[in-house]
């Protein structure tokens, strides 16, 4: 299946109302578009997009993917100042390993082909993940159980961080826009 070029529509009001802007390339600043800190809902036509709190891809992120037509959650609504598409093949079988300690040490847990992990405490990892090794696929980590709070995007490779509350969520079926 050929990959479509990335495309997203931003809306100034909830429920896809108000002014709209279709975007198909990175925007490092929405300052002169009339959309800076005014995005309330989005429709993702194709690709994976990272929405940023500040200009020049800074601050907190909010990740959206193909097939989503959503109102942004309260913590992201009216805070978006830049955005960019992420090139990535989500057709691969997802696989990752999380570690309790930095430098990929301590207790570990591997996930393969998993679609949703709503609470890492089920794996004795809640609030204790310090390193991630993504073997394949794209994963979004959430600050709180139940897929809420601040998001972290993990693509193939390794990542280390401190103080993140452990919730991990994977979207393998992004091209289909499913929730499985």
């Amino acid at each position: 299946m050929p990959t479509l070029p990335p495309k997203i529509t931003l809306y100034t009001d909830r429920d896809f109302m108000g002014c709209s802007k279709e975007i198909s390339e990175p925007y490092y600043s929405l300052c002169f578009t009339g959309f800076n800190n005014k995005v309330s809902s989005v429709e993702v036509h194709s690709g994976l997009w990272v929405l940023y709190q500040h200009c020049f891809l800074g601050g907190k992120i909010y990740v959206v993917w193909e097939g989503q037509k959503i109102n942004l959650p309260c913590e992201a609504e009216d805070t978006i100042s830049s955005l960019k598409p992420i090139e990535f093949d989500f057709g691969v079988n997802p696989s990752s390993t999380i570690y309790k300690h930095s430098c990929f040490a301590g207790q570990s847990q591997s996930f393969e082909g998993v679609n949703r992990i709503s609470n890492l405490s089920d794996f004795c990892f809640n609030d204790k993940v310090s390193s991630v090794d993504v073997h394949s696929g794209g994963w979004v980590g959430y600050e709180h159980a139940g897929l809420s709070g601040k998001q972290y995007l993990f693509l193939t490779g390794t990542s280390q961080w401190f103080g993140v509350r452990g919730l991990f969520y994977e979207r393998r079926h992004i091209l289909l826009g499913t929730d499985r």
Side-chain angles (χ1 to χ4, degrees):
M1 170 186 250
T3 303
L4 296 173
K7 184 166 83 170
I8 187 171
T9 302
L10 309 177
Y11 297 90
T12 56
D13 297 330
R14 295 182 74 66
D15 300 319
F16 323 103
M17 304 292 285
C19 296
S20 65
K21 180 165 185 64
E22 195 171 276
I23 294 176
S24 58
E25 60 188 16
Y27 260 78
Y28 297 99
S29 176
L30 291 172
C31 287
F32 301 108
T33 65
F35 282 82
N36 189 48
N37 293 330
K38 293 184 180 177
V39 178
S40 294
S41 56
V42 299
E43 180 177 5
V44 184
H45 306 283
S46 55
L48 170 72
W49 289 82
V50 182
L51 311 176
Y52 293 85
Q53 177 185 21
H54 301 303
C55 292
F56 303 104
L57 312 178
K60 293 180 183 176
I61 67 168
Y62 191 72
V63 181
V64 292
W65 47 85
E66 185 168 316
Q68 282 191 311
K69 187 172 182 179
I70 61 168
N71 290 316
L72 294 179
C74 293
E75 63 266 13
E77 184 178 1
D78 295 335
T79 66
I80 304 305
S81 293
S82 59
L83 67 154
K84 73 173 182 178
I86 300 292
E87 292 183 30
F88 197 76
D89 178 10
F90 287 92
V92 300
N93 190 34
S95 175
S96 70
T97 304
I98 59 174
Y99 298 85
K100 269 198 179 169
H101 303 298
S102 60
C103 300
F104 311 97
Q107 182 182 345
S108 66
Q109 174 70 48
S110 292
F111 300 101
E112 289 195 34
V114 177
N115 292 318
R116 183 182 294 246
I117 302 157
S118 62
N119 193 340
L120 283 177
S121 65
D122 296 343
F123 300 90
C124 300
F125 270 90
N126 196 42
D127 296 338
K128 296 183 178 14
V129 177
S130 294
S131 305
V132 178
D133 185 2
V134 176
H135 313 292
S136 60
W139 299 74
V140 178
Y142 288 83
E143 180 179 22
H144 303 298
L147 309 178
S148 66
K150 189 175 179 181
Q151 293 183 335
Y152 303 88
L153 178 62
F154 301 101
L155 300 175
T156 303
T158 58
S159 300
Q160 294 189 59
W161 76 97
F162 303 94
V164 172
R165 295 184 177 101
L167 174 55
F168 214 67
Y169 180 61
E170 178 272 339
R171 292 300 298 216
R172 181 173 77 134
H173 301 286
I174 289 173
L175 292 177
L176 302 176
T178 66
D179 237 353
R180 294 180 268 155

